[in-house]
Amino acid sequence: MSAPVYKRILLKLSGEALMGDDSYGINRTVIERIVAEIAEVVAMGVQVAMVIGGGNIFRGVAPAAAGMDRATADYMGMLATVMNSMALQDAMNRAGLDCRVQSALNLEQVAEPFIRGKALRYLEEGKVVIFAAGIGSPFFTTDTAAALRGVEMSAEVVIKATKVDGIYTADPKKDPHAVRYQSLSFDEAISKNLQVMDATALTLCRDQKLPIIVFSIFKAGALKRVVFGEGEGTLVRVE
């Protein structure tokens, strides 16, 4: 088999991807399936860093957060990403993967602090590194955290894992005539407001010439096809 096209990736996983068909929380079967996909590419020598959202956890308390101070709500969301990171780390360890969680918030009892040099060394040693708590500041999404950590880790691509197999001209669940883009430029994604990631994340990736691939984590073998450059998902390219 040929070598992977991408040797170091930043995988952005939405919290909602961990729910499966549940209303909120973590579906054990789903998380084990996702870990199996990651283990497959790690075994091929791909260095994997990750950022995970917290929407699946925060969704359970969202009604109580209505009207809450935005910064407070954002910090709660950061803690939700830590919970997801811990669950993912546990699943990876049980699957035989060596995984480390680094948090942008000071939570030394459950996660290491984010230290760039240490994270890079972990990746070079073949460990999976999960970056929790976003960037540690409110008003910035985990999409922005993924873009920032991707640049800091010298990743070759940010891979956004979703429930949809790419970027479409419209919501494919609502519009049966929606067409999936094979690729598009950052400027196209921003001007068409395609909601690939938030504008801050897109702009950072564009300026740092870091491509993005959007794909479905629920298609068997899809992550491997992405890292081998087999046209899976949609590429947001650097021009």
Side-chain angles (χ1 to χ4, degrees), residues 86 106-112:
M86 293 172 65
N106 188 12
L107 300 166
E108 294 182 2
Q109 287 85 352
V110 297
E112 298 178 13

Side-chain angles (χ1 to χ4, degrees), residues 69-114:
D69 174 73
R70 169 64 188 275
T72 299
D74 281 359
Y75 279 117
M76 290 173 64
M78 290 179 220
L79 293 175
T81 73
V82 175
M83 294 172 66
N84 280 337
S85 298
M86 293 172 65
L88 197 58
Q89 180 188 40
D90 177 75
M92 287 188 182
N93 289 340
R94 287 188 291 105
L97 287 175
D98 200 348
C99 177
R100 298 290 187 274
V101 175
Q102 290 196 345
S103 172
L105 294 179
N106 188 12
L107 300 166
E108 294 182 2
Q109 287 85 352
V110 297
E112 298 178 13
F114 170 65

Side-chain angles (χ1 to χ4, degrees), residues 4-182:
V5 172
Y6 302 108
K7 303 295 180 62
R8 179 179 292 175
I9 66 173
L10 189 294
L11 179 62
K12 168 59 169 63
L13 184 66
S14 68
E16 287 78 1
L18 300 183
M19 296 191 307
D21 294 326
D22 299 339
S23 299
Y24 57 87
I26 298 169
N27 184 295
R28 178 56 58 183
T29 300
V30 169
I31 200 171
E32 289 176 351
R33 188 186 310 134
I34 291 172
V35 167
E37 294 281 327
I38 295 169
E40 186 175 26
V41 299
V42 170
M44 296 173 179
V46 178
Q47 297 176 10
V48 180
M50 295 186 66
V51 169
I52 184 167
N56 59 314
I57 302 295
F58 194 72
R59 183 176 294 190
V61 296
M68 184 179 290
D69 174 73
R70 169 64 188 275
T72 299
D74 281 359
Y75 279 117
M76 290 173 64
M78 290 179 220
L79 293 175
T81 73
V82 175
M83 294 172 66
N84 280 337
S85 298
M86 293 172 65
L88 197 58
Q89 180 188 40
D90 177 75
M92 287 188 182
N93 289 340
R94 287 188 291 105
L97 287 175
D98 200 348
C99 177
R100 298 290 187 274
V101 175
Q102 290 196 345
S103 172
L105 294 179
N106 188 12
L107 300 166
E108 294 182 2
Q109 287 85 352
V110 297
E112 298 178 13
F114 170 65
I115 300 174
R116 178 175 178 269
K118 184 178 286 188
L120 287 167
R121 185 170 72 250
Y122 285 153
L123 290 175
E124 291 165 358
E125 293 171 350
K127 297 178 175 68
V128 177
V129 182
I130 304 175
F131 299 113
I135 67 170
S137 298
F139 307 105
F140 291 94
T141 68
T142 50
D143 280 348
T144 297
L148 178 61
R149 298 297 185 234
V151 173
E152 290 178 306
M153 293 300 104
S154 300
E156 297 167 299
V157 63
V158 171
I159 301 175
K160 184 170 181 178
T162 69
K163 292 184 176 181
V164 183
D165 64 346
I167 304 169
Y168 282 76
T169 53
D171 187 343
K173 294 180 181 179
K174 299 178 181 179
D175 185 352
H177 302 293
V179 177
R180 181 172 68 87
Y181 291 99
Q182 192 71 30

Side-chain angles (χ1 to χ4, degrees), residues 196-218:
V196 180
M197 287 183 165
D198 66 70
T200 303
L202 281 174
T203 302
L204 178 58
C205 286
R206 182 193 64 187
D207 293 348
Q208 297 301 318
K209 302 189 184 305
L210 180 61
I212 299 169
I213 296 176
V214 180
F215 82 112
S216 171
I217 193 66
F218 295 101

